[in-house]
Amino acid sequence: MSQALLEGVKFDANGLVCTIAQDAQTLRVLMVAWMNAEALQKTAETGFAHYYSRSRKKQWMKGEESGHTQKVCELRLDCDGDAVVMLIEQAGGIACHTGRESCFYRVWRDGAWQTADAVLKSETEIYGKPHG
Amino acid sequence: MSQALLEGVKFDANGLVCTIAQDAQTLRVLMVAWMNAEALQKTAETGFAHYYSRSRKKQWMKGEESGHTQKVCELRLDCDGDAVVMLIEQAGGIACHTGRESCFYRVWRDGAWQTADAVLKSETEIYGKPHG
C-alpha cells in the first residue's frame, strides 16, 4: 500500500506535501498543514490525520494533546500530486489551536482582516495552558 | 488597503502564501496554488483570483488563457497567517488544467489513487493545444 500511496505524491524539497482538512459534513475548510511521507502513511493506515510540524520538526497526530482528532473519510490528491484534500470528522468541532472551529476565522472586509468566528473553548481549557 | 492586507500575511521564504480556491456554491475545493504579495493585492483589488506560478516564475490571472476565471466572493486568512481560503465563482465550472471541475480528482481507494472525476472539456478544446 505504502508504495502506491507515496508514488503518486510529489513531496517538495523539504519532503512535505500541503494538506487541507475539510469538514466532511459542512465542507468548511478547517485547516491547512503539512505531511511528510510518514505522516501520510500513518494517516492512511490509521484513518486519523497525522501531520509534520515544520516548527517542531516532528510528525504528530492531530488531537494528540487537545483531543481534537480528525477521522479521515476520504483522501484526495490533486493533478500535480503536490496537494492533498482530506474530508474529515472533527472531534469536538474544533480544529484550531485558538479554540475555534476553523483556523480560517479572519475575513478580509472593509480594508481589514476581521475576526469572524467565536472562540468555542479557551486554549487553557484545551491544553491546560496557552498553546505555544 | 495594501498595507493592512499584506501585514496580516506571513509569506514564506520564497515570498509566497498557500491559497485554496473553494467553490462558493458547492464548497468543493477546486485547487491549491500560491500567491506572492502582488498576486494577493491584485486579487483583492480586482476581485479575480491571481496566483504566482513557481514553475513559470511569474504572476498570472487564473483563466487568462483558458477563460476559466475565478470571481472572489470571500477571502479568509488562517491563524498563522500562512494560508488563504477564497470562496470563488468558477467560470465554466472547470478549475483544473486537465478540464475537470476540480484539481482533486484522484481518490485514495482500495490501495490506489483512482481517478474519480470526468474530463468536462479536453485540454485541446480549452487551450487549443495540450497544456504544458
Side-chain angles (χ1 to χ4, degrees), chain A residues 22 27 76 78 104 106, chain B residues 27 76-78 104 106:
Chain A
Q22 189 179 18
L27 299 184
R76 285 192 174 240
D78 78 347
F104 293 90
R106 288 185 285 174
Chain B
L27 299 186
R76 283 192 175 241
L77 185 64
D78 79 347
F104 293 90
R106 289 185 285 174

Side-chain angles (χ1 to χ4, degrees), chain A residues 43-88:
Chain A
T43 299
E45 277 166 27
T46 64
F48 283 89
H50 288 65
Y51 299 104
Y52 180 83
S53 166
R54 293 173 297 172
S55 54
R56 289 180 287 140
K57 298 191 198 306
K58 64 181 280 248
Q59 188 216 298
W60 59 294
M61 187 182 84
K62 171 70 183 167
E64 64 188 10
E65 273 188 72
S66 63
H68 298 147
T69 53
Q70 297 179 335
K71 191 176 172 190
V72 178
C73 306
E74 191 176 275
L75 264 181
R76 285 192 174 240
L77 186 64
D78 78 347
C79 51
D80 298 325
D82 65 358
V84 170
V85 166
M86 298 187 296
L87 290 178
I88 57 120

Side-chain angles (χ1 to χ4, degrees), chain B residues 14-80:
Chain B
N14 299 310
L16 302 176
V17 63
C18 177
T19 304
I20 298 151
Q22 187 178 20
D23 189 289
Q25 297 303 312
T26 66
L27 299 186
R28 182 164 186 192
V29 174
L30 300 182
M31 60 183 278
V32 171
W34 296 85
M35 286 182 176
N36 59 1
E38 194 187 344
L40 179 58
Q41 273 179 290
K42 280 264 188 186
T43 299
E45 277 167 26
T46 65
F48 283 88
H50 288 66
Y51 299 104
Y52 180 84
S53 166
R54 293 172 299 171
S55 55
R56 290 181 285 141
K57 297 191 199 305
K58 64 182 279 251
Q59 188 216 299
W60 60 294
M61 187 182 83
K62 170 70 182 168
E64 64 187 12
E65 274 189 72
S66 62
H68 298 148
T69 52
Q70 297 178 334
K71 190 175 171 191
V72 177
C73 306
E74 189 176 278
L75 266 181
R76 283 192 175 241
L77 185 64
D78 79 347
C79 50
D80 297 327

Side-chain angles (χ1 to χ4, degrees), chain A residues 1-120:
Chain A
M1 177 191 92
S2 296
Q3 206 186 333
L5 180 72
L6 300 180
E7 265 179 10
V9 181
K10 273 194 211 142
F11 294 95
D12 70 10
N14 299 311
L16 302 177
V17 63
C18 176
T19 304
I20 297 150
Q22 189 179 18
D23 189 288
Q25 297 304 312
T26 66
L27 299 184
R28 182 164 186 191
V29 174
L30 301 182
M31 59 183 277
V32 171
W34 296 84
M35 286 183 176
N36 60 0
E38 194 187 344
L40 180 58
Q41 272 179 289
K42 281 265 188 182
T43 299
E45 277 166 27
T46 64
F48 283 89
H50 288 65
Y51 299 104
Y52 180 83
S53 166
R54 293 173 297 172
S55 54
R56 289 180 287 140
K57 298 191 198 306
K58 64 181 280 248
Q59 188 216 298
W60 59 294
M61 187 182 84
K62 171 70 183 167
E64 64 188 10
E65 273 188 72
S66 63
H68 298 147
T69 53
Q70 297 179 335
K71 191 176 172 190
V72 178
C73 306
E74 191 176 275
L75 264 181
R76 285 192 174 240
L77 186 64
D78 78 347
C79 51
D80 298 325
D82 65 358
V84 170
V85 166
M86 298 187 296
L87 290 178
I88 57 120
E89 290 173 20
Q90 178 62 59
I94 293 174
C96 185
H97 76 280
T98 64
R100 293 179 175 89
E101 179 192 6
S102 164
C103 294
F104 293 90
Y105 58 81
R106 288 185 285 174
V107 182
W108 180 249
R109 196 180 288 153
D110 303 328
W113 290 110
Q114 302 193 7
T115 296
D117 289 55
V119 170
L120 303 176

